[in-house]
Amino acid sequence: MTRYALTVDPGVRDLRAADHLLQEVAAELALTDGVFGCTHLVRGDRPRVALSLAVPSEPLLRTVKERLTDRGHEVQNGLPDPVGRAVLYPGAAALTGTLTVTELLSRSAIDRVTVLGVHGPPAPGTLLVTRDHVRPQWEGGELVLTAMPAAGGALVPFEVPEPTPCCADH
């Protein structure tokens, strides 16, 4: 399926705000499960988080672009880079609780799971405690979830849902 993509630069500086905006836009526009919404870190003089939306049709792309422009967002055609962090993707809503790696892969658009510090993929029956926050990244055209070992031989997604801000104890 051909995807039509656009990039939004809302000027936000943190991932949680970017996630919230993507979810808000998806709800407002009633975007379907076939949509991919990603965050992209923009470095340089003004570090920030850009958003991308990839939709299955050109008419939907025009509608999304129009709505975002009406909200005052700067919108451009195409993706800012090929390595976005996926917030919206087919099957994301079904990745709650504890699942096996096989269940995670069969319920979502995620292509594979990698584990930090481990060579090769995890066993299909390995449990993954999702913490209801699964944010895979695009790597070489595949949607890849990076996980890390947890208690009892289970895995957890590398990204935590509520990260502690840097220097929180200062």
Side-chain angles (χ1 to χ4, degrees):
M1 175 188 324
T2 302
R3 296 247 173 236
Y4 300 90
L6 56 82
T7 296
V8 182
D9 187 351
V12 298
R13 293 182 57 101
D14 68 87
L15 289 174
R16 283 201 300 182
D19 286 7
H20 180 73
L21 182 56
L22 273 171
Q23 291 163 340
E24 184 180 290
V25 167
E28 178 184 312
L29 299 176
L31 296 177
T32 65
D33 197 36
V35 170
F36 288 84
C38 297
T39 60
H40 304 261
L41 299 179
V42 179
R43 292 167 174 76
D45 294 342
R46 192 173 58 97
R48 61 200 182 281
V49 182
L51 311 177
S52 68
L53 286 164
V55 297
S57 72
E58 190 171 1
L60 182 55
L61 180 73
R62 283 194 304 268
T63 299
V64 170
K65 187 173 185 175
E66 182 179 293
R67 286 280 188 70
L68 289 168
T69 302
D70 289 348
R71 288 178 74 167
H73 294 296
E74 179 184 322
V75 181
Q76 298 177 337
N77 289 330
L79 298 172
D81 60 54
V83 292
R85 170 186 161 271
V87 176
L88 307 173
Y89 52 93
L95 304 181
T96 61
T98 301
L99 307 168
T100 65
V101 169
T102 296
E103 290 170 326
L104 176 109
L105 296 174
S106 68
R107 291 181 186 182
S108 72
I110 297 173
D111 295 302
R112 63 185 171 91
V113 176
T114 62
V115 182
L116 290 176
V118 176
H119 181 64
T126 303
L127 294 178
L128 185 122
V129 180
T130 68
R131 301 179 295 204
D132 300 342
H133 187 84
V134 180
R135 300 292 190 263
Q137 290 207 257
W138 288 103
E139 293 179 16
E142 289 185 307
L143 199 52
V144 179
L145 177 66
T146 301
M148 58 187 179
L155 300 173
V156 293
F158 176 71
E159 183 178 328
V160 298
E162 301 283 337
T164 303
C166 177
C167 306
D169 60 343
H170 297 227

